[in-house]
């Protein structure tokens, strides 16, 4: 018999690395979060937010102020097939409540798996290692995050994962859609609710409607269908890259964002989402990043710096994952990125974690600027 899905201070008991028995699912505390609609945001190339400094010490990231409250009824996790539009879920790693908008089918290139020699994807020029990687199809979902949970997702640098180039002359201006995320199939913990508006997000009622005769009882509005169709090239998730070093797994998802003209040249933009996961029991902290960016024009750029997006996250058994997004631009239609993260142990020793090489590929056809990020 399915039991109530419960909401709590933060995700330590929800994590798939120490998942509780099926009769309990825990999510995040119910505290209001103001949604800043579609606010403009600037982020710099391969480095993130400037002028934010974390203290140089290892810190505990254990959540405080836990609150327990029923939010719905837990459903069986799907081992096969996919979840439908309107499926309510708790994120197994970050603990937030969300709802599925639609699925994506991506090619997962896992460097931890040794593939046959044929049908494989080689390393980019100059990248570390010579391992060839075979891609396999994997399901991800475009989802909405409940805005009440935004303040409590401490393992994310921000709760949105989708940005667009602004539709004006400033080629560096970016617009973000808060609370829109990409979630892997295995991170979905499904539940159902009798509430007609179980998720608080400005786009919920614009995209979905309550229909008690359906299962799940939320169906797609024409607005969501039109928005997906118009923005398909900018939303589509196509490749996912993954590699583990000394129990720290790095997952990278790149997105092409489009081209802008600047000073009589073309500038191509990409967004990339990175997730670090501590698969072991040792507490570690990310201290530095080292990127190498190769452009089809023949240039090779090196970027070093403290932390990522102004943070130096702690990865522990209680909070094993951290995720962030950043942006990069090239004056060429394609290129590659790879690098390392410098990780510090509690005894002060360090080791480098490899960032799997990934391609930066532009869409070949001319596309209209992204539409639908304002209503």
């Amino acid at each position: 018999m399915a039991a109530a899905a419960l909401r709590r201070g933060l995700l330590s008991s929800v994590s798939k690395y120490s998942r509780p028995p099926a009769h309990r699912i825990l999510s995040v505390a119910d505290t209001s979060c103001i949604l800043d609609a579609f606010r403009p945001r600037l982020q710099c190339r391969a480095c993130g937010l400037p002028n934010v400094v974390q203290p140089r010490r290892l810190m505990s990231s254990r959540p405080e102020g836990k609150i327990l409250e029923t939010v719905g009824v837990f459903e069986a996790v799907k081992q096969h097939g996919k979840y439908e539009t309107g499926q309510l879920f708790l994120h197994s790693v970050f603990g937030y409540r969300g709802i599925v908008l639609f699925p994506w089918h991506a090619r997962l290139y896992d460097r931890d798996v040794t593939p046959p020699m044929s049908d494989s994807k080689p390393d980019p020029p100059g990248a570390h290692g010579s391992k060839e990687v075979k891609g396999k199809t994997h399901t991800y979902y475009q989802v909405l995050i409940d805005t009440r949970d935004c303040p409590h997702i401490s393992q994310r640098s921000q709760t949105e994962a989708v940005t667009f180039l602004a539709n004006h002359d400033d080629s560096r201006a970016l617009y973000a859609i808060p609370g829109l995320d990409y979630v892997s199939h295995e991170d979905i913990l499904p539940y159902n609710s009798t509430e007609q508006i179980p998720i608080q997000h400005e786009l919920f009622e614009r995209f979905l409607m309550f229909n008690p005769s359906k299962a799940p009882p939320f169906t797609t509005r024409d607005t969501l269908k039109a928005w997906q169709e118009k923005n398909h090239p900018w939303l589509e998730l196509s490749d996912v890259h993954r590699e583990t070093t000394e129990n720290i797994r790095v997952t990278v998802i790149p997105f092409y964002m489009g081209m802008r003209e600047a000073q009589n040249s073309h500038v191509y933009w990409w967004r990339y989402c990175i997730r670090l996961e501590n698969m072991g029991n040792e507490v570690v902290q990310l201290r530095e990043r080292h990127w190498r960016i190769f452009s089809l024009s023949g240039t090779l750029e090196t970027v070093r710096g403290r932390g990522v997006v102004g943070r130096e996250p702690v990865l522990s058994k209680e909070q094993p994952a951290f995720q962030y997004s950043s942006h990069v631009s090239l004056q060429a239609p394609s290129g590659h990125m790879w690098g390392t993260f410098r990780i510090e142990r509690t005894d002060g020793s360090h080791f480098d974690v490899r960032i799997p090489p990934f391609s930066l590929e532009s869409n070949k056809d001319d596309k209209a600027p992204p539409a639908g990020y304002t209503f």
Side-chain angles (χ1 to χ4, degrees), residues 56 58 246 248 282-288 341-353:
R56 276 190 55 80
L58 282 164
E246 296 195 33
I248 305 299
E282 187 178 20
V283 178
V284 298
Q285 186 166 19
L286 187 155
R287 288 302 192 186
E288 299 175 5
F341 292 122
R342 175 62 56 90
I343 304 296
E344 182 179 342
R345 301 184 181 95
T346 53
D347 62 5
S349 62
H350 298 83
F351 62 97
D352 288 335
V353 170

Side-chain angles (χ1 to χ4, degrees), residues 30-202:
D30 183 6
T31 303
S32 62
C33 170
I34 298 175
L35 178 65
D36 294 330
F38 304 111
R39 63 185 183 276
R41 167 171 295 179
L42 284 174
Q43 286 189 321
C44 66
R45 148 193 206 89
C47 60
L49 304 178
N51 302 322
V52 182
V53 180
Q54 284 290 103
R56 276 190 55 80
R57 60 188 177 89
L58 282 164
M59 298 171 285
S60 171
S61 54
R62 188 183 300 275
E64 303 293 342
K66 297 175 181 176
I67 301 171
L68 201 64
E69 183 180 354
T70 301
V71 297
V73 177
F74 175 54
E75 297 178 347
V77 173
K78 285 191 175 183
Q79 301 296 331
H80 305 285
K82 66 179 186 296
Y83 296 103
E84 302 297 328
T85 296
Q87 176 66 60
L88 294 167
F89 71 92
L90 302 176
H91 196 294
S92 68
V93 176
F94 300 117
Y96 63 70
R97 289 162 288 179
I99 191 166
V100 170
L101 296 180
F102 45 80
W104 292 113
H105 296 293
R107 296 292 292 174
L108 173 62
Y109 296 94
D110 193 342
R111 299 176 69 84
D112 302 329
V113 177
T114 303
M117 293 303 294
S118 61
D119 191 23
S120 58
K121 189 170 184 176
D123 282 348
H128 58 267
S130 58
K131 184 189 297 183
E132 294 186 342
V133 184
K134 181 179 180 180
K136 63 178 182 179
T137 302
H138 194 70
T139 302
Y140 278 73
Y141 300 93
Q142 197 94 62
V143 307
L144 289 181
I145 301 174
D146 194 312
T147 59
R148 293 169 292 184
D149 297 342
C150 296
H152 307 283
I153 311 176
S154 62
Q155 310 91 317
R156 299 285 291 268
S157 63
Q158 63 272 336
T159 55
E160 73 278 353
V162 174
T163 49
F164 293 107
L165 288 175
N167 191 15
H168 55 67
D169 293 337
D170 185 354
S171 63
R172 290 183 57 84
L174 304 174
Y175 278 87
I177 301 183
L180 192 63
D181 201 5
Y182 294 86
V183 179
S184 177
H185 182 84
E186 65 266 21
D187 288 339
I188 298 284
L189 296 176
Y191 74 94
N192 61 54
S193 171
T194 57
E195 296 182 46
Q196 294 190 21
I197 307 179
I199 300 297
Q200 289 191 13
H201 190 288
E202 187 177 17

